[in-house]
Amino acid sequence: MQANVIDGQTTKLAPSPLLLSKSPGDLPSPQPSPPARNSPAGSTFGSSDDGSSSSSSADYPTPVTDLDGDAQVYYLNPADARKQAYLPSPTASTFSSNRDSGSSGAVEVVPKPKIVVSDSPTPPTAQEAPQAEAPLPPTPRVHGWLADAVAPFADFIDGPVDPRAAYVDLQEIAEGESGSVFAAHLVESFVGKLRLPASVAARDAHDRAAGQRTLVAIKQVAVTPHGSQKLLDLQHELRLMRGLAHENILGMEAVYVDVVEDMLWIRMDLMERSLADVIELVNEGLMLQERMIARFAGDILLGLDYLHKQGIAHRDVRSDNLLINNSGVVRITDFSQSVKVTREAPLSSEVVGVVYWQAPEMRVGPYDPLKADIWSLGATVWETAQAEPPFAETQVFTERWPAVRQPELFSPAFHEFLRLCSEPAAVRPNAAALMKSAFTTNACGRAVIVQLLSQCMAIERRIQEEMGEDS
């Protein structure tokens, strides 16, 4: 097995898609799905009730597939997953900063682990931050230096719960510098006894009533006596996102302390794959049509519009930080670079993110981080249409993106959307305005994205079979 390096550590994942080996009883057999949850208001973008687009177009036919297969599971802090093929040039690398030091430096770009295949992800639900209750009293489970180290997380930790007892059958799906990520089952006896947002607790109860085991993602972050940048980032994310919930935002549902291995366990919803993983399969024959791209863009805009109305700028919008669930809904994740924007402090000066998705104003001085998110969204749309980030070929970073290849394949609405996203910050539209654009309102139905995910799995199975034949 060839190892990948992620932020200085070696992942256990092979460079090709990896199928989790499962013994009987490790993961649940397919169960009837619970009733579908409603999408957020405005997320249908003109789609009809049956999931098809209300605006038919011969130019952009929707895919049809009858493929079935195990659900894909992708979950990793996308900040730990970079693309080696997109290393900036020595000149371009000076455009980004080292988050740990705050000084100008090169962007570290390392390979992203491949997809891991597992069974039946949990049904989607709007994300909520862990309930902001009064700080928990000291618990006899945590002693000594560990108690001191996790004290800053007291508002968020479900102190009395031993995560090793509550979550079982852990199977590692990714490993990086920030910690390992596992798929895990919630033990039935803990349903209703955990400190969870109301919607998450209701989902767990629904699974129990339906005779299903709840499958979640568990991210483990090491705790050290002297702290770490990863713990500071986690604390920043938890405080920034406290109390926020939206269908297109991936939140942290709960935090626990593992006293055996001195770890924080963060529970999250288990997602299918990242948008970056979808884009990578274009070179293997996957077809991404314009109206699919519009659906992705619409979901991202819904999430950004919600964040921006809360005064939060993400500042690192790109395909690695956009995860898709089994219902085809895109959620924004990784808020380690995010900032709170106020009337008193409307501008930022830090150069963060990855250069291919950075707004040009980031590199010249104070900038409006809310408008920078819009540029990054446009860069992601460009990337999805071209199967590579803008400027990856030329390494010459300009005020506007390069012209797309074969522009005649794309509608005028698509070109206008890209133009709007790359306008100077002072006149660049906000997320609410872009949601009304002709491009996003002609998005495909949600069911088309679900079919697209099935096609992704079929392509990966074919690749695995071909690799098996070669060996």
Side-chain angles (χ1 to χ4, degrees), residues 159-387:
V161 175
D162 178 3
R164 290 175 170 265
Y167 300 96
V168 296
D169 301 333
L170 272 68
Q171 294 195 25
E172 187 173 26
I173 58 178
E175 183 181 53
E177 190 271 337
S178 64
S180 295
V181 182
F182 300 83
H185 287 114
L186 172 63
V187 175
E188 184 177 355
S189 61
F190 280 84
V191 174
K193 300 178 182 180
L194 302 175
R195 180 187 175 190
L196 294 168
S199 65
V200 178
R203 183 188 66 194
D204 291 355
H206 183 282
D207 288 345
R208 182 179 184 180
Q212 299 174 347
R213 300 179 72 188
T214 298
L215 185 64
V216 302
I218 297 291
K219 180 175 181 177
Q220 296 182 351
V221 179
V223 180
T224 61
H226 304 293
S228 68
Q229 185 61 45
K230 292 302 178 183
L231 288 175
L232 292 175
D233 289 343
L234 176 60
Q235 184 179 352
H236 168 74
E237 290 191 56
L238 287 167
R239 295 192 182 282
L240 187 69
M241 302 302 291
R242 172 186 286 176
L244 302 185
H246 192 272
E247 177 70 4
N248 300 106
I249 302 297
L250 185 63
M252 302 181 191
E253 298 174 347
V255 182
Y256 309 97
V257 180
D258 176 2
V259 300
V260 176
E261 294 190 2
D262 301 332
M263 295 272 191
L264 287 179
W265 288 31
I266 299 97
R267 168 177 164 167
M268 294 181 170
D269 197 12
L270 198 59
M271 303 294 286
E272 289 265 341
R273 62 180 61 239
S274 72
L275 180 57
D277 296 316
V278 174
I279 295 170
E280 285 184 354
L281 292 177
V282 170
N283 293 328
E284 300 294 337
L286 185 69
M287 298 294 293
L288 285 178
Q289 297 163 357
E290 180 178 314
R291 296 171 72 204
M292 299 176 187
I293 301 172
R295 171 59 66 185
F296 295 144
D299 281 357
I300 302 166
L301 282 168
L302 283 168
L304 288 179
D305 182 57
Y306 174 77
L307 289 173
H308 291 178
K309 287 178 178 176
Q310 311 302 317
I312 295 174
H314 188 275
R315 299 200 304 175
D316 198 12
V317 175
R318 52 192 170 87
S319 58
D320 286 297
N321 290 341
L322 301 166
L323 304 184
I324 309 172
N325 68 13
N326 66 323
S327 294
V329 176
V330 177
R331 291 177 177 166
I332 303 171
T333 188
D334 186 6
F335 294 87
S336 59
Q337 305 285 14
S338 301
V339 291
K340 184 74 173 178
V341 179
T342 65
R343 291 184 179 180
E344 294 75 22
L347 302 178
S348 296
S349 57
E350 299 170 291
V351 182
V352 296
V354 179
V355 66
Y356 302 104
W357 294 267
Q358 281 177 353
E361 61 267 19
M362 265 193 176
R363 305 189 286 267
V364 296
Y367 59 92
D368 180 344
L370 302 178
K371 293 297 183 71
D373 281 350
I374 301 301
W375 168 280
S376 299
L377 163 66
T380 303
V381 169
W382 195 102
E383 174 196 13
T384 310
Q386 301 291 279

Side-chain angles (χ1 to χ4, degrees), residues 370-435:
L370 302 178
K371 293 297 183 71
D373 281 350
I374 301 301
W375 168 280
S376 299
L377 163 66
T380 303
V381 169
W382 195 102
E383 174 196 13
T384 310
Q386 301 291 279
E388 66 178 9
F391 313 113
E393 287 187 0
T394 65
Q395 297 293 314
V396 177
F397 299 89
T398 58
E399 298 292 315
R400 299 273 188 175
W401 297 300
V404 296
R405 297 183 297 272
Q406 296 182 290
E408 69 278 2
L409 297 181
F410 300 94
S411 69
F414 172 87
H415 292 291
E416 175 65 7
F417 185 85
L418 286 184
R419 184 190 68 81
L420 291 172
C421 290
S422 63
E423 286 283 89
V427 295
R428 194 177 301 156
N430 59 23
L434 288 172
M435 284 192 293

Side-chain angles (χ1 to χ4, degrees), residues 57-71:
S57 171
D59 294 334
Y60 309 107
T62 57
V64 177
T65 178
D66 58 359
L67 296 172
D68 295 320
D70 294 341

Side-chain angles (χ1 to χ4, degrees), residues 79-122:
D80 297 336
R82 306 294 192 240
K83 298 179 180 178
Q84 183 68 36
Y86 301 145
L87 275 170
S89 65
T91 302
S93 67
T94 61
F95 295 151
S96 292
S97 65
N98 184 311
R99 185 173 74 232
D100 294 347
S101 65
S103 61
S104 177
V107 177
E108 184 175 1
V109 184
V110 297
K112 173 168 58 58
K114 295 296 183 183
I115 297 300
V116 177
V117 180
S118 182
D119 282 339
S120 301
T122 53

